[in-house]
């Protein structure tokens, strides 16, 4: 009977998806030894299944707080994200004319411009436009107040927000009506449908590559039954009417990551949001592993969007089908995600409140609240703070702060020498000049700063400044269009930054200034203290640009000098200035380093006479210099047998090692004496035409003329990497 019951249990397990293999009792030992595993475990499983069935019937069974991958939503366009990069024609459409040129209100990029709200009509107003609440009276003095600050801080949400309800799965893309809104008539039809709903999902597509402040290109709005994509480039002046829906507290606006969207709506269309639910904050409160929209789409909708189109150029008209599908996916599933996140927040807060029944409910800001709404209230509180954000114009900060400041960029790129804390240097001065020039040009032409000059070129131009225009253009792999037109301006800024970087505590004096000074000090002190730099040998050899320019503009020249030239200025009165002759002679004597005899001496006596004719300074500096002697052919040389001590050059001596020397009986030279060599009797390098005759003749000498004019040289030494004495056994190759 026991085996029959076990077989029946196994068959029921098979019907419920189990393996269905029963373990039967064979003898008495199985009952004694394996009673727990054979009988007791099976009965426990049966009882657990009974409990689960009773919970389902009585309604005690609940769905998980965060359901992962529920029944997939049929979309009709479910595809995995494509790999690879986006087509460059879709990422940067260079052929498109700037849409902002057709705007009625042209963007104001002036550095001192301050944006302020300019609402024509305040929809859903609870207080008049420009109302200041008493608690915000002091704060409004320092900043512009938010037009809907009172409505946001005193909002009453619809009761449906705090009620758990089954998620409403959206229809597929093919089954959901889709409308491209690009005319005022289509816009009014969309407004009529939006007035009849209680929740909408909103997203924006922004473009900033070809604009300084950027602008919104698309607005996606989805309801439970419709999808709309609004062409904001055409309907830019008509979208302020959306405040009727966006500021209505009875219509919940669902965004994901709305911090930038809130500011863009204000800047472009004067639209404000009252009643925001940000799904990003919901994922943060629920402590999900990731908080991006792609993660929520994969978790709740089993949909993978192609995120490559996130960086696409949304100015393209007409939009390709792939870009339209990506834009729709951002809002098509967002209300369904909101339903799941809202239920999860309520369930988790309810489970926490049940585990803390002994605690008394706390109050927040003096208002009592139900603990089961605590997590949802936290999300709504964070969303309200985002709605209160107000657009601020990006002015140029001389101190380098802000998202595009020079100090912020240097810290981001880890360029310590260009940060605010670093000392002023040549590279830093050039960097500040280029950064300021790039910002001015970007504002003038309404282009992004990275379009005018990418970030990495800021540091490359500062660290390796070019000398001329070809060197400047050669730095770029592809010269940016703005640089092609304004390269001369950029080069002037680089040169100006280089001249500003020289920190001179007192004016430097040049050679020209020495002749015009009224200083009564000796000329030697003037030359040593004023003309020479005190900052190091590098600046002595390469003085700053202002010093070089002063030298080029000097108004006199020496009468006869290889250093100062052979002519002097027509203004002869300059020669009569004080100290001129003394300065000139001192400079000539001080700069003589190693003079050589210009006219070669043909004899030794003539060379000595020329050497004696030099000045005292030159003779003192050429005591160790070699006297140039003219070349005399071998046929005209006078061979002499008499030895002159001063003219014999000793080129070699006996080796220091004590070796036994063979004595030549025919020679009369003593063994301990050095045998002298007569160079006049040996042919020289210039005496013969055949280079093979120079040097001793050996058996391995080649009879062919040498390829080099210096004779035959030995083979070059082997490289250090070549083996010299290893691998004697030849065991490996």
């Amino acid at each position: 009977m026991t085996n029959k019951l076990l077989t029946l249990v196994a068959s029921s397990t098979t019907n419920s998806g189990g393996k269905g293999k029963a373990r039967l009792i064979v003898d008495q030992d199985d009952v004694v030894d394996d009673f727990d595993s054979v009988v007791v475990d099976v009965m426990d499983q049966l009882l657990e299944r009974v409990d689960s069935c009773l919970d389902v019937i009585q309604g005690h069974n609940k769905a998980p707080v965060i359901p992962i991958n529920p029944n997939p939503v049929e979309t009709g366009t479910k595809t995995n994200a494509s790999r690879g990069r986006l087509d460059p024609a879709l990422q940067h459409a260079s052929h498109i004319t700037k849409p902002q040129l057709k705007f009625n209100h042209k963007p104001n990029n002036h550095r001192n411009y301050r944006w302020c709200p300019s609402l024509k009509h305040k929809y859903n107003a609870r207080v008049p436009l420009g109302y200041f609440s008493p608690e915000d009276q002091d704060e409004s003095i320092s900043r512009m107040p938010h037009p809907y600050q009172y409505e946001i801080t005193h909002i009453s949400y619809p009761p449906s927000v705090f009620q758990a309800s089954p998620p409403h799965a959206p229809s597929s893309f093919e089954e959901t009506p889709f409308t491209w809104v690009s005319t005022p008539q289509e816009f009014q039809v969309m407004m009529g449908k939006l007035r009849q709903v209680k929740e909408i999902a909103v997203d924006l597509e922004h473009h900033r590559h070809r604009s300084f402040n950027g602008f919104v290109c698309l607005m996606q709005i989805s309801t439970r039954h419709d999808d709309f994509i609004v062409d904001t480039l055409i309907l830019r002046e008509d979208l302020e009417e959306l405040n009727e829906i966006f500021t209505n507290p009875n219509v919940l606006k669902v965004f994901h990551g709305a911090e930038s969207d809130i500011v863009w709506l204000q800047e472009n269309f004067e639209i404000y949001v009252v009643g925001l639910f940000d799904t990003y904050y919901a994922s943060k409160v629920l402590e999900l592993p990731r908080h991006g929209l792609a993660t929520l789409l994969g978790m709740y909708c089993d949909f993978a969007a192609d995120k490559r189109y996130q960086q696409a150029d949304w100015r393209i008209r007409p939009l390709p089908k792939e870009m339209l599908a990506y834009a729709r996916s951002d809002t098509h599933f967002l209300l369904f995600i909101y339903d799941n996140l809202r239920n999860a927040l309520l369930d988790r807060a309810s489970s926490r409140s049940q585990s803390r029944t002994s605690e008394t409910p706390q109050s927040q800001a003096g208002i009592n609240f139900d603990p089961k709404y605590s997590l949802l209230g936290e999300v709504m509180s964070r969303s309200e703070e985002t709605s209160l954000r107000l657009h601020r114009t990006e002015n140029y900060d001389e101190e380098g702060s802000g998202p595009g400041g020079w100090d912020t960029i240097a810290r981001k790129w880890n360029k310590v020498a260009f940060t605010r804390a670093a000392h002023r240097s040549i590279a830093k001065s050039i960097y500040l000049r280029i950064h300021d020039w790039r910002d001015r040009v970007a504002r003038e032409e309404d282009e992004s700063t990275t379009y005018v000059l990418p970030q990495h070129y800021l540091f490359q131009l500062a660290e390796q400044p070019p000398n001329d225009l070809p060197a400047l253009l050669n730095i770029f792999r592809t010269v940016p269009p703005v640089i092609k037109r304004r390269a001369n301006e950029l080069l002037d800024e680089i040169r100006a930054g280089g001249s500003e970087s020289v920190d001179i505590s007192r004016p430097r004096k040049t050679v020209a200034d020495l002749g015009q000074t009224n200083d009564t000090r000796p000329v030697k002190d003037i030359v040593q203290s004023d003309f020479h730099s005190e900052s190091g040998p590098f600046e002595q050899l390469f003085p700053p640009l202002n010093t070089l320019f002063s030298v080029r503009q000097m108004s006199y020249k020496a009468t006869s000098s290889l250093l100062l030239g052979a002519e002097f200025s027509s203004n002869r009165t300059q020669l009569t200035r004080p100290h001129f002759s003394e300065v000139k002679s001192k400079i000539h004597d001080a700069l003589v380093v190693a003079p050589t005899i210009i006219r070669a001496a043909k004899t030794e006596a003539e060379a000595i006479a020329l050497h004696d004719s030099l000045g005292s300074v030159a003779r003192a500096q050429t005591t160790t210099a070699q006297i140039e002697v003219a070349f005399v052919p071998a046929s005209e040389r006078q061979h002499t047998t008499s030895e002159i001590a001063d003219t014999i050059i000793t080129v070699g001596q006996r080796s220091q090692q004590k070796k036994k020397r063979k004595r030549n009986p025919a020679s009369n030279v003593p063994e301990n004496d050095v045998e002298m060599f007569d160079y006049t009797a040996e042919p020289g390098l210039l005496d013969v035409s055949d280079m093979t005759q120079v040097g001793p003749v050996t058996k391995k000498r080649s009879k062919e003329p040498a390829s080099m004019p210096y004779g035959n040289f030995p083979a070059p030494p082997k490289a250090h990497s070549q083996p010299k004495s290893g691998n004697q056994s030849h065991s490996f190759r």
Side-chain angles (χ1 to χ4, degrees):
M1 184 182 296
T2 303
N3 289 335
K4 289 181 179 181
L5 292 174
L6 294 176
T7 304
L8 182 61
V9 172
S11 63
S12 63
T13 306
T14 304
N15 296 332
S16 62
K19 296 181 180 179
K21 185 177 180 181
R23 182 180 177 182
L24 303 180
I25 296 175
V26 179
D27 52 14
Q28 186 177 359
D29 294 337
D30 293 338
V31 177
V32 175
D33 298 335
D34 300 330
F35 182 80
D36 291 340
S37 60
V38 175
V39 179
V40 176
D41 292 346
V42 174
M43 294 302 299
D44 289 341
Q45 295 177 5
L46 287 176
L47 294 176
E48 289 177 359
R49 291 177 59 187
V50 171
D51 292 337
S52 300
C53 293
L54 292 176
D55 291 337
V56 173
I57 294 175
Q58 297 177 1
H60 298 307
N61 194 9
K62 295 183 179 180
V65 176
I66 305 176
I68 298 178
N69 290 332
N71 295 329
V73 179
E74 297 295 335
T75 61
T77 58
K78 176 185 174 182
T79 56
N80 292 329
S82 303
R83 296 182 179 180
R85 295 184 177 180
L86 188 64
D87 187 358
L90 297 179
Q91 186 172 3
H92 298 300
S94 58
H95 63 281
I96 297 179
T97 306
K98 287 185 175 181
Q100 59 266 38
L101 298 177
K102 300 179 181 179
F103 293 166
N104 294 338
H105 296 84
K106 300 297 187 297
N108 191 340
N109 302 325
H110 196 271
R111 287 186 174 182
N112 298 326
Y113 171 71
R114 183 182 179 185
W115 179 89
C116 60
S118 58
L119 275 175
K120 300 177 183 177
H121 174 68
K122 185 176 181 181
Y123 292 90
N124 304 300
R126 297 179 61 182
V127 294
L129 187 63
Y131 171 79
F132 295 93
S133 59
E135 59 270 14
D136 299 330
Q137 193 74 22
D138 297 336
E139 185 180 1
S140 62
I141 298 176
S142 59
R143 67 178 182 88
M144 184 65 64
H146 195 286
Y148 284 89
Q149 182 173 356
Y150 182 86
E151 286 77 8
I152 294 174
T153 55
H154 298 79
I155 186 174
S156 297
Y157 293 98
S160 59
V161 177
F162 302 96
Q163 296 176 0
S165 60
H168 186 277
S171 304
S172 63
F173 277 7
E174 291 78 6
E175 298 175 355
T176 303
F178 167 70
T179 306
W180 172 266
V181 182
S182 59
T183 62
Q185 294 77 14
E186 295 172 344
F187 177 73
Q188 292 301 327
V189 173
M190 181 191 70
M191 288 293 297
K193 294 183 178 181
L194 294 181
R195 293 186 184 102
Q196 302 174 4
V197 299
K198 298 300 180 182
E199 305 99 357
I200 61 172
V202 186
D203 190 36
L204 304 176
E205 300 298 340
H206 192 259
H207 176 81
R208 191 171 181 175
H209 183 62
R210 296 299 309 276
S211 175
F212 184 78
N213 288 318
F215 51 86
V216 177
C217 300
L218 289 181
M219 180 187 297
Q220 303 98 285
I221 302 176
S222 294
T223 64
R224 298 286 184 181
H225 307 287
D226 296 277
D227 290 337
F228 302 96
I229 294 184
V230 184
D231 189 351
T232 57
L233 299 180
I234 298 178
L235 300 176
R236 184 181 180 89
E237 306 299 331
D238 302 330
L239 295 181
E240 186 177 342
E241 189 178 349
L242 280 173
N243 279 317
E244 180 183 354
I245 307 298
F246 280 62
T247 60
N248 187 354
N250 296 322
V251 179
L252 189 69
K253 275 69 65 176
V254 181
F255 285 74
H256 182 82
E259 288 191 357
S260 299
D261 296 339
I262 293 296
V263 175
W264 293 338
L265 288 173
Q266 300 172 15
E267 178 188 6
N268 291 264
F269 318 117
E270 288 286 348
I271 295 177
Y272 302 87
V273 179
V274 179
L276 172 66
F277 185 95
D278 197 333
T279 55
Y280 171 79
Y281 294 134
S283 65
K284 294 284 287 185
V285 172
L286 290 172
E287 299 178 352
L288 297 183
R290 295 182 180 180
H291 313 290
L293 181 59
T295 302
L296 299 179
L297 287 173
M299 178 181 296
Y300 293 109
C301 307
D302 197 19
F303 179 84
D306 193 349
K307 283 300 178 182
R308 295 181 304 166
Y309 295 104
Q310 190 174 9
Q311 303 298 329
D313 193 341
W314 295 99
R315 304 174 303 161
I316 299 175
R317 298 293 184 272
L319 283 174
K321 294 182 179 180
E322 296 80 8
M323 296 179 65
L324 277 176
Y326 172 79
R328 289 185 63 187
S329 65
D330 285 346
T331 57
H332 181 78
F333 306 98
L334 198 55
L335 292 178
F336 177 71
I337 293 174
Y338 154 73
D339 293 339
N340 287 274
L341 293 176
R342 179 197 59 202
N343 293 340
L345 291 168
L346 294 174
D347 290 343
R348 178 170 294 184
S350 178
S351 61
R352 289 184 179 180
S353 62
Q354 292 178 3
S355 62
R356 302 176 182 178
T357 54
S358 60
E359 299 180 3
T360 57
Q362 302 294 327
S363 62
Q364 184 177 14
I367 302 175
N368 296 328
F369 66 93
D370 195 336
K372 65 180 181 180
Y373 302 139
S374 59
L375 298 182
L376 186 60
E378 183 178 354
V379 174
M380 305 306 292
S381 177
R382 295 188 184 183
S383 300
E384 290 176 7
E385 294 178 1
T386 303
S387 299
L388 288 172
R389 294 193 62 187
L390 201 62
H391 172 61
R392 295 284 188 272
T393 53
E394 185 178 348
N395 298 325
Y396 188 77
D397 188 5
E398 299 290 344
E399 299 297 329
S401 59
W406 54 266
D407 182 66
T408 305
I409 298 176
R411 293 178 182 276
K412 182 178 179 180
W413 286 72
N414 197 22
K415 298 292 184 178
V416 182
F418 299 145
T419 57
R420 188 186 298 111
H423 296 288
R424 192 66 173 259
S425 61
I426 297 177
K428 185 176 179 180
S429 298
I430 297 176
Y431 168 70
L432 295 179
R433 278 274 186 172
I434 298 175
H435 185 275
D436 180 80
W437 175 85
R438 186 182 70 163
D439 183 83
R440 285 189 285 103
V441 172
R443 293 175 184 272
E444 292 174 6
E445 303 200 4
D446 194 21
E447 301 283 0
S448 64
T449 55
T450 55
Y451 179 81
V452 175
L453 185 66
Q455 302 284 24
H456 62 280
Y457 286 123
L458 280 174
F459 307 106
Q460 186 173 355
L461 291 172
E463 294 170 348
Q464 302 174 0
N467 297 325
D468 50 16
L469 190 60
L472 171 62
L473 299 178
N474 193 35
I475 292 178
F476 302 95
R477 178 179 299 179
T478 301
V479 182
V482 179
I483 300 299
K484 290 181 181 179
R485 293 184 280 104
R486 311 183 71 160
N488 291 325
E489 299 179 19
L490 178 58
L491 185 61
D492 293 341
E493 295 293 335
I494 295 174
R495 291 174 175 172
S499 62
E500 285 181 0
S501 62
V502 180
D503 185 13
I504 307 176
S505 58
R506 56 186 176 88
R508 299 175 183 267
K509 294 187 178 182
T510 61
V511 178
D513 298 329
L514 294 178
Q516 302 176 5
T517 181
N518 296 325
D519 199 342
T520 58
R521 294 178 297 168
V523 179
K524 181 179 180 180
D525 298 337
I526 298 176
V527 174
Q528 293 181 355
S529 62
D530 292 342
F531 181 70
H532 295 285
S533 173
E534 298 178 357
S535 57
F538 180 80
E539 294 189 1
Q540 293 179 9
L541 296 177
F542 302 97
L545 296 177
N546 54 359
T547 305
L548 295 178
F549 295 155
S550 300
V551 173
R552 292 179 182 179
Q553 299 174 359
M554 60 184 176
S555 58
Y556 64 87
K557 297 181 181 179
T559 55
S560 60
S561 173
L562 294 177
L563 176 64
L564 300 178
E567 298 179 357
F568 54 86
S569 175
S570 59
N571 189 3
R572 297 179 181 272
T573 58
Q574 296 179 359
L575 299 179
T576 60
R577 294 182 181 276
H579 308 300
F580 175 77
S581 301
E582 187 178 1
V583 168
K584 184 180 67 174
S585 61
K586 290 293 184 180
I587 291 177
H588 289 172
D589 292 340
L591 295 182
V592 172
V593 179
T596 57
I597 302 175
I598 300 176
R599 182 176 62 84
K602 295 184 178 180
T603 62
E604 179 185 358
E606 185 177 1
I608 296 174
L610 290 173
H611 182 266
D612 294 338
S613 64
L614 295 174
S616 59
V617 177
R619 188 164 53 250
Q621 297 179 358
T622 56
T623 53
T624 59
Q626 183 180 357
I627 303 299
E628 296 182 3
V629 180
F631 171 74
V632 180
S635 59
E636 300 180 5
R637 298 176 190 169
Q638 296 180 2
H639 299 281
T640 177
T641 56
S642 61
E643 297 182 357
I644 303 176
D646 294 337
T647 59
I648 298 299
I649 302 175
T650 302
V651 297
Q653 293 183 355
R654 187 173 55 187
S655 176
Q656 298 296 334
Q657 299 180 359
K658 295 182 179 180
K659 295 183 179 180
K660 186 176 181 180
R661 180 181 177 184
K662 295 182 180 180
R663 180 179 178 84
N664 187 3
S667 177
N668 295 325
V669 181
E671 183 177 0
N672 295 332
D673 296 339
V674 178
E675 183 177 358
M676 301 300 177
F677 182 80
D678 188 6
Y679 285 89
T680 60
E682 185 70 16
L685 198 64
L686 302 178
D687 294 333
V688 294
S689 60
D690 188 3
M691 302 303 298
T692 59
Q693 299 179 8
V694 181
V697 180
T698 59
K699 295 181 180 181
K700 296 183 180 180
R701 286 284 297 272
S702 174
K703 297 182 180 180
E704 298 295 333
S707 59
M708 298 292 295
Y710 307 107
N712 293 332
F713 294 96
K718 294 183 178 181
H720 294 285
S721 61
Q722 297 180 359
K724 296 180 176 57
S725 61
N727 192 22
Q728 296 295 337
S729 62
H730 303 280
S731 60
F732 60 92
R733 295 182 181 275

